[in-house]
Amino acid sequence: MKTLIAYVSKHSCTAKCARLLAQSLRNPATLADLARDNPDLAEYEGIILGAPLYAGSIPSRAKAFCRHNLARLKEKKLGLFICCGLEDQAQAQLESAFPPELTRHASARASFGGAIDLERQNFLVRTLLRKLMKITESYEAIDRQSIQDFARQWEQV
Ligand SMILES: Cc1cc2nc3c(=O)[nH]c(=O)nc-3n(C[C@H](O)[C@H](O)[C@H](O)COP(=O)(O)O)c2cc1C
């Protein structure tokens, strides 16, 4: 089965998770950065979509991808993952991040954790992150076990 892993990533964590997921799958998967690539979905039987959470939402490019391909994605084997910083809210954010019909249809769904490089944020964002998310240092908290579990689940369906 041919699998596409399509992702949107603003600061590279989701891109890294997409690569780790591709390495965890037994069969080769094609990676597509939706900021750059325009994959032909007809070529794939399985599609995994990954996106990060920013202010409670996935980026508009990921939303547009879902909107434009809704009918086609519902015909495919589908997986969804998010990257996020608020681990205690990961489940709720995962449930609301993608259109409900895609969330219901997906046979694998997970949060893969997240990462923040404060050096790459401007002063205003750093201040907001400190106040709202209590983040005072850069960190990487990618949940590699969750990526492994997702890969095994994907292969079982
Ligand atoms: C400005 C900003 C807003 C964020 N908002 C949220 C949020 O609402 N919920 C959350 O769980 N994580 C939030 N995060 C954490 C990101 O989802 C996390 O850093 C993720 O790994 C980013 O993925 P990316 O590097 O692929 O863009 C935010 C991070 C930043 C910098």
Side-chain angles (χ1 to χ4, degrees):
M1 189 196 63
K2 279 184 83 178
T3 296
L4 173 73
I5 305 175
Y7 62 87
V8 175
S9 185
K10 285 195 179 177
H11 291 292
S12 82
C13 180
T14 314
K16 181 171 180 179
C17 290
R19 285 195 299 275
L20 289 169
L21 177 59
Q23 288 163 13
S24 303
L25 293 171
R26 290 192 183 102
N27 293 319
T30 302
L31 288 164
D33 176 351
L34 294 178
R36 193 184 57 203
D37 307 321
N38 185 17
D40 179 2
L41 303 192
E43 289 179 19
Y44 304 93
E45 287 109 58
I47 295 171
I48 298 170
L49 174 62
L53 262 290
Y54 282 90
S57 291
I58 56 175
S60 51
R61 199 181 289 276
K63 287 185 190 164
F65 179 81
C66 292
R67 212 170 37 245
H68 292 145
N69 298 294
L70 196 62
R72 181 159 270 175
L73 290 171
K74 283 167 73 179
E75 292 165 358
K76 305 274 183 185
K77 179 177 166 183
L78 180 67
L80 299 171
F81 75 86
I82 57 166
C83 283
C84 67
L86 300 169
E87 212 30 60
D88 56 333
Q89 294 174 34
Q91 193 56 35
Q93 293 185 119
L94 176 61
E95 292 302 321
S96 63
F98 301 95
E101 53 264 73
L102 293 186
T103 305
R104 279 194 298 274
H105 176 64
S107 49
R109 292 189 298 261
S111 163
F112 289 167
I116 289 184
D117 183 352
L118 284 182
E119 305 302 311
R120 294 175 68 179
Q121 313 296 333
N122 65 33
F123 175 76
L124 182 63
V125 172
R126 278 205 303 274
T127 308
L128 282 173
L129 288 172
R130 212 169 278 133
K131 286 215 156 101
L132 300 178
M133 292 173 66
K134 315 288 177 223
I135 292 166
T136 53
E137 292 179 347
S138 301
Y139 72 90
E140 181 181 290
I142 290 175
D143 185 346
R144 287 162 191 267
Q145 187 59 52
S146 177
I147 295 176
Q148 287 294 328
D149 293 347
F150 187 106
R152 298 295 80 81
Q153 201 181 334
W154 180 255
E155 284 160 345
Q156 273 167 21
V157 187

